[in-house]
Amino acid sequence: MKNHVWQSSGCTVCRDSLVKWTVPLVGILLVTSDVTAAVWYVDRDNLSGMQDGLRWATAYNAIQPAIDAAYAGGGGEVWVAEGIYDERRTTYVYPRIPSVNNGALLLKSGIELYGGFSGIETVREERDWRMHPTVIDGSTARDGYPSYQVVWVESRATILDSVIVRGGRAEGDYAEMSSGGGIGGYDPAVTANCTIKENFAVAPGAGMVIGEGTPVIVNCTFQNNESMQSGGAVDLANSASRPEIVGCWFIGNTSQSGGGGAIGGFGGHLTVRNSVFVGNRAGTIPGGDGYGGAIHKFFDVMTLENCVFFGNHASTEGAALRTSGSFNPEMGEYDTRIYLHNCTFWANVAGEGSAVLHNTGAVVNVRNSVFWNNTPLQIVNNVTDYPPLFSVHHCLVQGGYEGEGNLDLDPQFVDAVNGDVRLRPTSPCIDVGTVDFAPAADIRGVARPQGAGVDIGTYEYQAGDELDIDASGGTDAVDVQLVINGALGLDSRASSDVDGNSVVDAIDVQLVINAALGL
């Protein structure tokens, strides 16, 4: 994997170092298909001359014939070997305009599509989808032009697992052709281990549109998707939806004008856990408003737990988050509810007079979260007529903020400039949070609390964190080499300064060697 770096507002983020210390643990197995389900095979490199899809040796060269065969057989699994699948596709899915080919792969009801195979596996658990990427490319799929949607989902009774979806351009003349450049139609019941990147839409939701239902999106990456309106990566299109996003990355997505560089939408009960938002932008065209560099949430409910917001940008309001709604006289309160628990906001930038969190009409509950080094402000709440409805407790806020247990002290992250927002052992965030609303574990799955109390922020400090230079979960030879490189001036990461004296020297080297040896 290449060492990808994103730069935003003066800070540099190295994703390969980040990904090591943000490996979220999902407590349930989300993909639980029948072990006796029929399997159909796809391998673009099959040169046998036989294609019936019944085994790897006679696998289909393209994905759609395998889906069609599985559907005709009553459903089942489609296993796709590594490679780029960019074949021309003819798919007619728009009822109002039945003669228009959208160029999509049609994922039919009852089909579970799994990528990431080398082409020899006999059970799904043998595959290594990171080593053997399966790419569904739409850049020339529609008669040589980009598909309006790369994957069109016919029914929610589907699973999409371990594929890269890229190259869709939803820019047609009708509404059906203008959103969901990556994934359109219905949203799968489960989308897991996928990368949805480099898709475009003129309407909201360049990467994916979420309608009704309760979709689960787990361990996915949304990267460099761009919408001319809201929801650069994901659009919440229906107030009846109950999406859950767990362990995902949102990187470099853009809303040109509107809200939510990564996620935008007008309703639904959204839950996001153990996820990272880095380098997303809202408002990138001259004169275009930009609300919520990472997320812009209208109405209903949003819960964020154990999330990191780093280097996001909004041209108007809400560097990371902008929340809005309206007062409901029947309820006697605002119709939007936002819950932020154990999140970290660092180095996000908003327009003049705004903040990393900008509330214009919602009931907001913030607990155990860090707001530091964001510009120009940390928190702005415009709901002044009902101040009890905006509550910030047991948080660390630069410049201070009224509320029980709030602090205004340097959080002492391990290496914030390079995105490592774990806590040093001297951090004021340790043991001073509240158990109220605190998740049972941190973003890595480390149980809370580890000490006398819950920590403030996304990471719960555990003894030895400072000796794990690369945040891989333990101290080993790699950490020893990194700290030696730091002492020799060959590596500048702050995490090599184990004892926190601002110098990487022989003492740091000895401490890491001792830890690696178990001394």
Side-chain angles (χ1 to χ4, degrees):
M1 182 183 291
K2 294 182 179 178
N3 191 25
H4 300 287
V5 176
W6 288 266
Q7 292 184 321
S8 177
S9 52
C11 64
T12 302
V13 184
C14 175
R15 182 175 186 260
D16 286 357
S17 64
L18 281 167
V19 74
K20 292 178 181 177
W21 50 263
T22 51
V23 181
L25 302 180
V26 182
I28 58 174
L29 182 63
L30 294 171
V31 182
T32 56
S33 60
D34 185 350
V35 295
T36 64
V39 176
W40 302 84
Y41 298 87
V42 180
D43 186 349
R44 70 187 307 275
D45 296 326
N46 171 25
L47 303 177
S48 70
M50 294 183 60
Q51 295 187 41
D52 59 15
L54 298 179
R55 57 190 188 278
W56 285 120
T58 58
Y60 291 110
N61 288 144
I63 301 173
Q64 193 65 59
I67 292 175
D68 295 343
Y71 182 75
E77 300 183 9
V78 174
W79 293 10
V80 188
E82 64 185 329
I84 299 174
Y85 294 83
D86 57 357
E87 63 274 3
R88 304 285 177 92
R89 306 181 186 104
T90 303
T91 311
Y92 301 99
V93 296
Y94 305 134
R96 287 199 307 155
I97 37 177
S99 63
V100 172
N101 170 30
N102 75 342
L105 178 75
L106 179 59
L107 185 58
K108 296 182 177 181
S109 180
I111 305 303
E112 302 173 10
L113 178 63
Y114 299 95
F117 294 90
S118 67
I120 62 172
E121 295 85 351
T122 57
V123 295
R124 203 185 328 131
E125 291 73 20
E126 291 177 345
R127 66 185 171 140
D128 185 339
W129 51 269
R130 293 183 179 89
M131 288 294 295
H132 302 285
T134 297
V135 180
I136 305 175
D137 189 290
S139 57
T140 59
R142 184 175 58 87
D143 302 320
Y145 296 93
S147 56
Y148 292 127
Q149 289 90 17
V150 180
V151 178
W152 184 271
V153 182
E154 184 180 71
S155 162
R156 292 190 177 88
T158 51
I159 290 174
L160 189 63
D161 185 297
S162 305
V163 297
I164 298 170
V165 178
R166 73 184 189 192
R169 292 189 66 86
E171 52 184 354
D173 297 328
Y174 295 83
E176 297 93 324
M177 305 153 63
S178 61
S179 63
I183 301 176
Y186 290 92
D187 33 271
V190 177
T191 305
N193 308 321
C194 292
T195 296
I196 301 167
K197 68 176 185 178
E198 298 164 7
N199 301 288
F200 176 82
V202 297
M208 185 180 198
V209 175
I210 295 178
E212 299 178 3
T214 56
V216 175
I217 303 170
V218 59
N219 200 30
C220 291
T221 297
F222 293 82
Q223 181 177 345
N224 295 341
N225 300 286
E226 183 173 8
S227 168
M228 291 181 65
Q229 299 183 34
S230 65
V234 175
D235 176 54
L236 307 174
N238 196 305
S239 61
S241 66
R242 300 292 186 272
E244 183 172 3
I245 298 173
V246 183
C248 291
W249 282 77
F250 293 83
I251 306 166
N253 300 288
T254 300
S255 163
Q256 291 184 4
S257 179
I263 301 175
F266 286 87
H269 289 220
L270 171 66
T271 300
V272 185
R273 296 188 176 96
N274 301 343
S275 295
V276 179
F277 296 79
V278 56
N280 302 287
R281 302 178 68 87
T284 59
I285 60 175
D289 292 330
Y291 299 103
I295 302 176
H296 188 195
K297 185 69 173 71
F298 296 83
F299 310 128
D300 295 327
V301 178
M302 177 174 69
T303 300
L304 303 178
E305 292 183 349
N306 288 336
C307 291
V308 176
F309 294 83
F310 190 111
N312 301 286
H313 182 274
S315 63
T316 308
E317 293 178 352
L321 303 177
R322 194 215 194 217
T323 60
S324 58
S326 58
F327 186 76
N328 187 324
E330 295 181 1
M331 295 172 59
E333 60 186 41
Y334 286 86
D335 54 12
T336 306
R337 294 178 177 273
I338 308 296
Y339 303 94
L340 275 63
H341 305 144
N342 288 92
C343 292
T344 300
F345 300 83
W346 195 85
N348 302 280
V349 178
E352 183 177 355
S354 186
V356 62
L357 168 61
H358 197 117
N359 179 42
T360 62
V363 179
V364 179
N365 178 303
V366 188
R367 297 290 184 270
N368 297 338
S369 295
V370 177
F371 298 83
W372 199 262
N373 195 37
N374 304 288
T375 54
L377 302 169
Q378 307 303 313
I379 298 173
V380 168
N381 174 37
N382 289 344
V383 187
T384 55
D385 48 345
Y386 292 89
L389 301 181
F390 190 91
S391 125
V392 179
H393 289 177
H394 295 86
C395 292
L396 189 151
V397 183
Q398 187 172 16
Y401 200 87
E402 182 179 357
E404 179 184 353
N406 290 337
L407 303 174
D408 178 15
L409 298 167
D410 185 342
Q412 297 186 38
F413 295 134
V414 168
D415 189 5
V417 172
N418 286 306
D420 191 341
V421 292
R422 292 178 300 162
L423 303 175
R424 289 191 174 274
T426 53
S427 170
C429 297
I430 295 174
D431 293 346
V432 297
T434 175
V435 297
D436 294 339
F437 305 104
D442 76 356
I443 192 171
R444 300 166 295 183
V446 174
R448 300 184 190 272
Q450 286 288 298
V454 170
D455 297 349
I456 295 175
T458 308
Y459 290 86
E460 189 79 2
Y461 174 76
Q462 58 179 349
D465 266 356
E466 67 277 11
L467 299 168
D468 181 13
I469 309 301
D470 63 353
S472 63
T475 306
D476 54 21
V478 175
D479 300 298
V480 172
Q481 188 61 61
L482 287 172
V483 74
I484 290 173
N485 290 348
L488 294 174
L490 303 176
D491 188 287
S492 61
R493 72 187 71 201
S495 55
S496 296
D497 178 22
V498 173
D499 59 5
N501 67 350
S502 301
V503 178
V504 182
D505 53 21
I507 295 176
D508 299 299
V509 173
Q510 191 62 59
L511 288 170
V512 175
I513 290 174
N514 289 349
L517 294 174
L519 302 178

